Amino acid sequence: AGLRSLLAYMWAHPGKQLIFMGTEIGQEAEWSDERELDWWLLEKTGHAGLSSLVGDLNRTYQDEPALWISDNVPDGFRWIDANDASHNVLSFARYGTDPDDIVVCVANFNALPHENYRLGLPKEGTWHEVVNTDAEIYGGSGVGNLGEVVAEEPGSHGLPASARIQVPP
């Protein structure tokens, strides 16, 4: 769960992604130029799920301009909460050039899920859960928000709206 969260955090955070050979399959042994990757790991559910997650993160990155179009612009990024150490949760928003082009990332680096977690959001309405790193298809436990959350008043974290969400590990 921690590795899946870290990878999603990296893909959503400003800047470019850099992983070492084998990370996309959860390579357990140190990489060596004298042998190939341990492709047999893909026969295990967790490793196959990690590979699927990396593919879905790549597709999401390509499909969501807010994740890359404003990488070098200060207005393209806003921390929602960078100080929730008691829950080990980081949250931020990425903004594209279109005012409606917003992606929010919530990364839980705790091994336990957080239920009924209040998250500030930039606007009211329905927010779609684009990637849930704890989905069963990635080898997770399936904790999530059933694909969407509804943000409404009152706001939180200095933002005009908020939602109560399930934050998977």
Side-chain angles (χ1 to χ4, degrees), residues 135-157:
E136 291 176 359
I137 60 169
Y138 304 136
S141 65
V143 172
N145 296 284
L146 302 175
E148 64 184 32
V149 297
V150 177
E152 34 190 37
E153 292 183 343
S156 183
H157 300 102

Side-chain angles (χ1 to χ4, degrees), residues 67-84:
L67 295 176
W68 48 266
I69 202 163
S70 299
D71 259 0
N72 301 319
V73 181
D75 290 341
F77 177 88
R78 182 197 191 280
W79 283 109
I80 295 174
D81 191 350
N83 298 307
D84 191 356

Side-chain angles (χ1 to χ4, degrees), residues 99-114:
D100 291 327
D101 188 13
I102 307 170
V103 174
V104 169
C105 175
V106 182
N108 178 10
F109 294 106
N110 193 327
L112 301 172
H114 302 298

